[in-house]
Amino acid sequence: MPNKRRTQEPTLTGGYHELDSYLPRSGNLGYRISRYDLVIDYRVASNRMTATATITATSYQQLTRFGLDLAGSMRVDRVTMNGKRSRHSHRSGKLSVTPASPIPPGGAMTVVVRYGGSPRPVRSQWGTVGWEELEDGALCANQPNGAPSWFPCDDHPEAKAPFHIEITTDNPYYALANGRLESTKRRGSQTTWVYDQVEPMSTYLASIQIGQYEHRTLTRGPVPVHALLPSRLSDEFDVSFQRQVQMVEAFTEMFGPYPFSQYTAVVTDDELEIPLEAETFSTFGANHCDGTQDHERLIAHELAHQWFGNSVTCARWRDIWLHEGFACYSEWLWSQHSGGRSADEWAHHYYDKLADDPSSQVLADPGPEEMFDDWLYKRGAITLHALRLRLGDGEFFALLQRWTDKYRYQAATTEDFIALASTFSTDSLGDIWQDWLYSSELPSFPTMRPNR
């Protein structure tokens, strides 16, 4: 049974959805989800999943039919709506449900979907995203539209809700999901792991990791920090991740309280091209845990996403710089804090690279083809450096802490950040936004200009 502990109510930025122009086939209209309960049985050797998703929602308009995002690799066996069997169809990545009677505006909806199959990534213009098999386990890499590869959902970054996830898998595998581990129960050759993510979460951040991992507790507080890793990488982890706890402490001082109950760094036995963020944990490949500190900037980047991206989430994919620019700048802040290059030195370094290969796109609306390109990360970080030079450290870090507090567990836009930043300056900041966010041309490197 789901844990009865009180959950955070999702805070929504509008009365209804607008489908995202970058991903117009993702997301759904007519209702808002307030909770997901996922009960999943997964067999590693055969990559077979059987699952039940219970989705609690409220309609904001009369519904004679509604949709959920679910990949075609999943087979839907049965759908009920408020306890009654419902007709459904499943094609082109959409599960369409017809309730026995229309749902009025403001109507309560409890949708139960029984489904199963062999989960696999979905193809997108950014490659394959979603559920991935490892050599000996599985992981989820959902960003931006891979969540439907393993559960039915309203796949839109603004549609945040609490999650309850139960995952049963074979021994001796360790299963990790978002939130706090509430219980484990071993029955024969299998173990059920029960997690509650009480703070609202975007679907692309929902994740499960399964592997033959060693569990470590790096610190129990004030923010509990854990690690999951293959035993063979134990010595390498001690070097590569030796400053993980100090990093949490430093970012808490810079950005405000850590927004979740705990944090876990996962290292897979496989190599991964890039690390992955999820709410309450990050996943790194064995190649990022090599007994050096060469990948420490990536460890900082993924941790920073807990504040910028996971707690405060962009309401539209065009505002992705609010995630990646902030996480990239956090790399530079950690470098300076830990005795490496200063943020200003890194800003100069990457400004020169941007000048050699400038993008013709606008940071505040880069287009779907370029929203994960490296130039966006670096230009977003230099935008924040320009703002820091204008405001000064005191006001700049006060702004970051106000941002993570005001929009905690919510979705926000570039316009929201601009409006909030204006309250930390007596002068107009319009030139910064015009030069760095809304012009494609690379402006001059920012210089310190104190407020008058």
Side-chain angles (χ1 to χ4, degrees), residues 57-60 82 103-109:
T58 304
S59 63
Y60 58 76
N82 293 345
I103 307 300
M109 302 166 58

Side-chain angles (χ1 to χ4, degrees), residues 174 211-218 226-238 241 264-269 284 289:
Y174 194 108
Q212 296 197 44
Y213 294 132
E214 167 191 324
H215 175 269
R216 289 195 196 176
T217 296
L218 305 182
H226 306 279
L228 292 177
L229 62 146
S231 297
R232 72 176 183 88
L233 295 176
S234 182
D235 291 343
E236 290 84 352
F237 183 89
D238 289 342
F241 287 78
T264 302
V266 184
V267 179
T268 71
D269 213 4
F284 303 85
C289 182

